[in-house]
Amino acid sequence: MRNFKKAGAGVAVLALASLSLAACSSGTDKADKDTKASNSSDTQIQFIHRLPDGDGMTKVDEIVQKWNKENPDKQVKATKFDGKAQELTKKLETDIKANNGPCLAQLGYSEVPEMYTKGLVEDVTKQAETYKDKFAAGPFSLMSVDGKTVGLPQDTGPLVYYYNKAEFEKLGITAPKNLDEFKAAAKKAAAAGKYIADFQPDESAFWLSAQAAAAGDSWYKVENDKWAVKTDGEGSQKVAALWQDLLDNKAVLTENRWDDSFKKALGEKKLIGTIGAAWEAPLLVDDMAGTDNEGQWAVAQLPDFGQGVKSGPDGGSGVAVMKGCKAVDAAVDFAGWFNTQIEPLVSQGLVVAAKGDVKTPEKISKFYGGQDVLAELSKANEVMAQDFGYMPGFSGVMEEMNKTAANAATGEKKVADIFKTAQDASVKSLQDQKLPVAN
């Protein structure tokens, strides 16, 4: 899920597996009490998470009970936090500064750099190395800043291409393998009143940055103890040129991803393809429920942006070891074990970062024509860019990018302006945080 930004992501996964979402925690107050209780013993590891824990899922407490039974000397207490991701990071900062923080917490990948620069996470590079081979390299790299690993990845969101195979066949086109094929197919479809993609202003930040990663760019790096920002490199320029060409030729739609108009276009088969994150696979099923799209759609890898078969990160989260944890080794051991409990985590609605066999829920497979969808998503995981990360305060950059993208959709701005906005907003944000910038 996208840093748990979209609560519907987890809900939809479960809905598709005939599971209904129901909260089962007493919220933030309970988290406060449990955190304080955990600090009374070095042998108990407090773990705060934001997983749905709905009816029909394998509950986090059930998974933890299995660990506790097998590891009597490394007991874990899991607490569900029901607030927003930003609320959790604020709570963690407050608690850690008061020496009352948990050992482990679930963080979105874009939140990791900020927590690192604020000194709120532990450097567990050495301990994490033991588990490196158990996860796809791309998600694993997103738990590192400046060469230091602060936890282990849990779920992920590499970009893939979703398309209505039946409608493509009617038009005499196939899933595009490269950008030239993508543009040609888009223009052919548009001439027939169909669209194989949607330019999504409200998703531009993660969506376009992930495409830039697939095109070979790395936006943020720490060099000589300074943040180096380059959001308008060759990869980003290639992405900008693609979408500008398609917009100029009116070969794509410009609906916001989370507006009803997007869902309507899908249901009416006006929109017959979309670039989206792995966690969108079940959401699209939900978007088109009750229409005759079932059995017609398929999932393919992202078209080649010039780097071969490659993808970029669009969301996901990991389990980080928080500053002040008194049982760092045990905490990493638990995180490594917990994040590789594939079947239980899939039941929670996650596209897991761990390697291993994943069974596609029947309802999802049926919608995608019997395709082993999760196997295809796992392939995207394996080819996700390993050198792309975020910067502290990326959420603010995201807001500015989305504003410019909305203007690009109407023709008031160019797509290239989105990446220029990202550059300017990134540098300003870092400076406002009083962080050293190399630019």
Side-chain angles (χ1 to χ4, degrees), residues 179 208-218 233-240 302-308 310-312 385:
L179 299 191
L208 290 176
S209 64
Q211 291 176 50
D217 275 7
S218 180
E234 291 184 10
S236 295
Q237 291 174 30
K238 184 174 292 187
V239 174
L302 202 64
D304 182 359
F305 278 79
Q307 299 292 315
K310 194 171 182 179
S311 187

Side-chain angles (χ1 to χ4, degrees), residues 243-369:
W243 291 105
Q244 193 62 59
D245 179 71
L246 294 174
L247 287 170
D248 290 345
N249 285 280
K250 300 188 184 325
V252 291
L253 294 179
T254 56
E255 308 292 349
N256 280 323
R257 173 62 182 90
W258 307 109
D259 285 356
D260 288 341
S261 55
F262 181 89
K263 180 178 178 179
K264 185 173 184 287
L266 289 170
E268 295 176 348
K269 297 185 179 179
K270 182 179 182 181
L271 181 60
I272 58 173
T274 182
I275 289 177
W279 46 263
E280 290 191 66
L283 297 187
L284 291 170
V285 180
D286 192 44
D287 285 339
M288 290 178 267
T291 71
D292 62 353
N293 281 277
E294 184 170 311
Q296 297 185 354
W297 281 69
V299 186
Q301 296 302 306
L302 202 64
D304 182 359
F305 278 79
Q307 299 292 315
V309 180
K310 194 171 182 179
S311 187
D314 186 346
S317 63
V319 176
V321 181
M322 309 311 294
K323 198 69 176 179
C325 176
K326 297 177 181 178
V328 170
D329 291 350
V332 175
D333 286 343
F334 170 74
W337 177 87
F338 184 84
N339 288 353
T340 53
Q341 300 305 294
I342 294 177
E343 188 174 341
L345 292 179
V346 168
S347 85
Q348 286 276 348
L350 304 185
V351 178
V352 295
K355 297 177 181 178
D357 294 331
V358 185
K359 183 179 180 181
T360 300
E362 183 179 352
K363 191 169 184 178
I364 297 178
S365 179
K366 185 177 180 181
F367 180 86
Y368 291 98

Side-chain angles (χ1 to χ4, degrees), residues 355-426:
K355 297 177 181 178
D357 294 331
V358 185
K359 183 179 180 181
T360 300
E362 183 179 352
K363 191 169 184 178
I364 297 178
S365 179
K366 185 177 180 181
F367 180 86
Y368 291 98
Q371 183 180 6
D372 189 351
V373 173
L374 293 188
E376 191 68 28
L377 299 180
S378 293
K379 292 179 184 178
N381 237 358
E382 292 297 328
V383 297
M384 194 164 76
Q386 299 179 31
D387 56 354
F388 188 93
Y390 301 99
M391 56 159 268
F394 185 72
S395 59
V397 176
M398 177 176 67
E399 292 176 6
E400 295 303 315
M401 288 179 67
N402 289 354
K403 290 177 186 176
T404 304
N407 289 327
T410 61
E412 298 173 63
K413 295 279 189 179
K414 297 295 185 182
V415 179
D417 292 330
I418 304 171
F419 297 99
K420 171 96 171 35
T421 293
Q423 180 72 24
D424 294 342
S426 295

Side-chain angles (χ1 to χ4, degrees), residues 18-93:
S18 300
L19 304 174
S20 61
L21 194 64
C24 61
S25 111
S26 56
T28 305
D29 289 340
K30 182 176 184 295
D32 285 330
K33 294 176 183 178
D34 285 342
T35 300
K36 292 175 182 176
S38 71
N39 286 332
S40 65
S41 171
D42 291 349
T43 62
Q44 187 176 79
I45 299 166
Q46 175 69 8
F47 168 40
I48 293 184
H49 69 89
R50 297 187 67 249
L51 293 175
D53 255 357
D55 288 344
M57 305 180 192
T58 302
K59 301 292 194 300
V60 171
D61 279 345
E62 293 177 40
I63 307 173
V64 171
Q65 284 172 17
K66 181 180 178 182
W67 165 271
N68 286 341
K69 184 177 180 180
E70 298 173 357
N71 298 272
D73 59 334
K74 302 175 184 178
Q75 296 292 285
V76 174
K77 170 64 178 178
T79 302
K80 176 172 163 52
F81 184 85
D82 285 324
K84 298 178 180 178
Q86 299 92 325
E87 294 170 345
L88 176 56
T89 55
K90 289 179 181 178
K91 172 180 169 53
L92 290 170
E93 182 172 4

Side-chain angles (χ1 to χ4, degrees), residues 123-169:
D123 178 358
V124 295
T125 305
K126 181 179 179 181
Q127 294 91 334
E129 189 68 23
T130 303
Y131 299 93
K132 189 173 184 178
D133 292 340
K134 295 183 181 294
F135 300 96
F140 189 90
S141 69
L142 288 170
M143 292 303 293
S144 297
V145 183
D146 193 22
K148 296 179 178 62
T149 302
V150 301
L152 296 171
Q154 184 172 98
D155 66 296
T156 181
L159 288 183
V160 292
Y161 185 62
Y162 301 96
Y163 68 106
N164 187 314
K165 192 174 182 180
E167 291 296 314
F168 269 49
E169 290 174 352

